[in-house]
Amino acid sequence: AGLVGANSTASGGSVTATIARIIDGGGWRLQAWARSSDLKNTSSSVAAGRVATTPASDQYSTPALGHGFNAAWQGRGTAFSWEVGGDARFADGHAFERFRYMAGGFTRGRVSGGTTAVAGLYAEGVLDRGDWLVIGGARVDAWRQDEAVRRERDLATGAVTLNSTSPDTSGTTPTARFGVRYRLNEATWLRGAAYAGFRPPTLNELHRPFRVGNDVTEANPTLTPETLYGVEFGIGGDGATRWSGTIFYNRLDDPITNVTVGPGGMAYPVAGFIPVGGVLRQRRNAGQIKAWGLEADISRTFGGLTLMGAASATKAEVDGGGASPQLTGKRPAQTPEYTVTAGVDWKATERLTLSANARFESQRFEDDLNSRRLGASIGIDARVAWRLTPDSELYLAWVQSTKVEGK
């Protein structure tokens, strides 16, 4: 976090297993996976003038375990192929923390956490008829959030100072997508798509509060999934020069956003006292976000040299509705309006490849109220790779990001 005493360490592991059979005209697949993680994170409060820091919290353990599976059955024909299947994933996690630093030590302890589950069934098909390519699919997901707990106690006496639980919540969400591409000639095509998707809140968003400097963000065990609806249309080419251009419109309902609750220098229920200069935020479902814009990219290869470029422009606006009316008309946090990238790959020899990329991002806002402006920036990275064998290489990479304007 760029502050003395603010550090983090992450650890974890994962395991996956897959069994599949491919036969003429189709096949099947079964997969299972499990993943564990743990994050240790300390944060510091900042004195006026940024002359000193003081320990603020110590999340000394955040163990979480996720596991899941998926199964699919496929069929392939000359012009039509299909797949049906199902998947499920489960997560269980808790955060253990010491906080309220006074007289040289932490005085309060906290444990928070819960479980989540999502399971769904889907079907999709692809029709390839020469110049026409049509794809469609639908799925339905059931989700559940339960066993939410937040318990705080005094470390000296063991007395419980907060014991909060939240009702279990669940629901069912259908989604679908449809896309079509038409080839105008050997090198040019048109395409269009319409789609819907959803994302349930994570354990982190539901249960883990965090702090950066004097800013505190509270979790929210009552969050509901966010749902995306979108359409897009594009044109592109696959000749010597590969290029494409796309216009799009997206609507995100119930977006999970860090919403400002109030300024520092005050005490709040559950969160406690927020230092002067900081703010209290909470993760909330904040109305609706609408975004529309365009994307374009182009690339061309000249022997061993490949040049690439891409650009995007996105107009995005929040409609807080009755839930967060103060956000209406604001731009979503951390969302630049313009992004431009350029790159070059040069295969200098059979073994040596040199690459360089540059990325420009326009200014954005750090917070939901658009009160903290982040200036435009340029990022540059370079890479030198030496191929040792057909399947391995040795490389050196360099990355730099530079602010070009603003605070």
Side-chain angles (χ1 to χ4, degrees):
L3 298 172
V4 173
N7 303 295
S8 63
T9 303
S11 60
S14 63
V15 59
T16 63
T18 303
I19 181 172
R21 185 181 184 189
I22 300 175
I23 57 179
D24 291 340
W28 52 267
R29 179 186 71 249
L30 297 173
Q31 293 180 304
W33 58 270
R35 180 182 180 184
S36 65
S37 67
D38 197 0
L39 172 71
K40 300 177 181 179
N41 184 74
T42 59
S43 61
S44 300
S45 61
V46 184
R50 298 180 64 86
V51 297
T53 62
T54 303
S57 67
D58 176 19
Q59 288 185 341
Y60 56 91
S61 182
T62 60
L65 177 64
H67 63 280
F69 69 89
N70 67 73
W73 180 27
Q74 298 178 340
R76 299 189 184 97
T78 303
F80 182 71
S81 60
W82 53 267
E83 178 175 311
V84 295
D87 49 57
R89 58 186 185 273
F90 309 89
D92 185 334
H94 291 78
F96 298 89
E97 182 176 4
R98 290 181 284 262
F99 65 103
R100 197 169 177 257
Y101 190 85
M102 299 174 66
F106 293 108
T107 62
R108 294 285 173 85
R110 173 165 56 218
V111 57
S112 59
T115 65
T116 62
V118 182
L121 298 173
Y122 69 90
E124 63 181 21
V126 179
L127 177 65
D128 189 348
R129 298 297 298 269
D131 292 336
W132 288 94
L133 179 67
V134 181
I135 183 170
R139 65 176 293 141
V140 59
D141 288 276
W143 55 271
R144 183 175 179 84
Q145 300 160 185
D146 50 19
E147 299 182 18
V149 63
R150 178 165 176 163
R151 188 175 298 111
E152 300 177 359
R153 63 186 177 88
D154 185 278
L155 293 179
T157 66
V160 175
T161 58
L162 176 67
N163 189 6
S164 174
T165 60
S166 297
D168 298 344
T169 57
S170 61
T172 302
T173 305
T175 54
R177 62 191 179 100
F178 175 80
V180 60
R181 189 183 73 177
Y182 175 67
R183 186 169 292 279
L184 298 173
N185 52 51
E186 287 297 320
T188 310
W189 45 261
L190 295 172
R191 70 176 185 89
Y195 42 85
F198 94 111
R199 184 186 74 86
T202 65
L203 286 174
N204 187 65
E205 293 166 332
L206 290 166
H207 303 297
R208 177 181 170 264
F210 69 92
R211 177 171 180 157
V212 178
N214 292 342
D215 296 338
V216 176
T217 302
E218 277 289 340
N220 186 351
T222 67
L223 292 171
T224 58
E226 54 185 23
T227 309
L228 172 73
Y229 303 93
V231 293
E232 59 185 59
F233 302 94
I235 184 172
D238 296 328
T241 300
R242 299 178 62 89
W243 59 276
S244 68
T246 303
I247 59 174
F248 64 88
Y249 171 79
N250 287 169
R251 192 189 80 199
L252 185 64
D253 290 349
D254 300 315
I256 298 172
T257 305
N258 295 338
V259 176
T260 298
V261 176
M266 300 174 58
Y268 295 86
V270 181
F273 182 78
I274 306 300
V276 175
V279 297
L280 173 64
R281 300 189 182 103
Q282 185 185 34
R283 296 182 173 103
R284 295 180 179 177
N285 293 105
Q288 193 177 83
I289 295 176
K290 297 178 181 179
W292 54 96
L294 59 89
E295 300 171 332
D297 63 79
I298 187 169
S299 66
R300 180 69 183 264
T301 298
F302 305 88
L305 183 69
T306 300
L307 303 178
M308 300 161 287
S312 67
T314 305
K315 176 68 173 179
E317 188 174 285
V318 179
D319 181 354
S324 302
Q326 74 278 14
L327 303 185
T328 298
K330 300 289 193 295
R331 186 172 179 82
Q334 305 288 347
T335 306
E337 189 168 358
Y338 304 105
T339 300
V340 180
T341 63
V344 56
D345 284 341
W346 179 34
K347 189 174 178 61
T349 69
E350 285 297 316
R351 292 181 176 269
L352 178 64
T353 301
L354 306 176
S355 304
N357 294 277
R359 180 183 181 89
F360 167 81
E361 293 186 345
S362 63
Q363 66 180 18
R364 70 196 78 182
F365 296 101
E366 191 274 337
D367 66 320
D368 60 315
L369 296 178
N370 293 180
S371 63
R372 299 181 180 182
R373 188 185 300 272
L374 299 176
S377 64
I378 294 177
I380 300 175
D381 63 83
R383 189 174 186 271
V384 179
W386 182 264
R387 184 166 61 86
L388 301 175
T389 71
D391 300 318
S392 62
E393 69 176 14
L394 179 69
Y395 70 87
L396 176 67
W398 172 80
V399 179
Q400 179 173 329
S401 182
T402 303
K403 180 176 60 178
V404 296
E405 64 170 278
K407 297 181 179 180

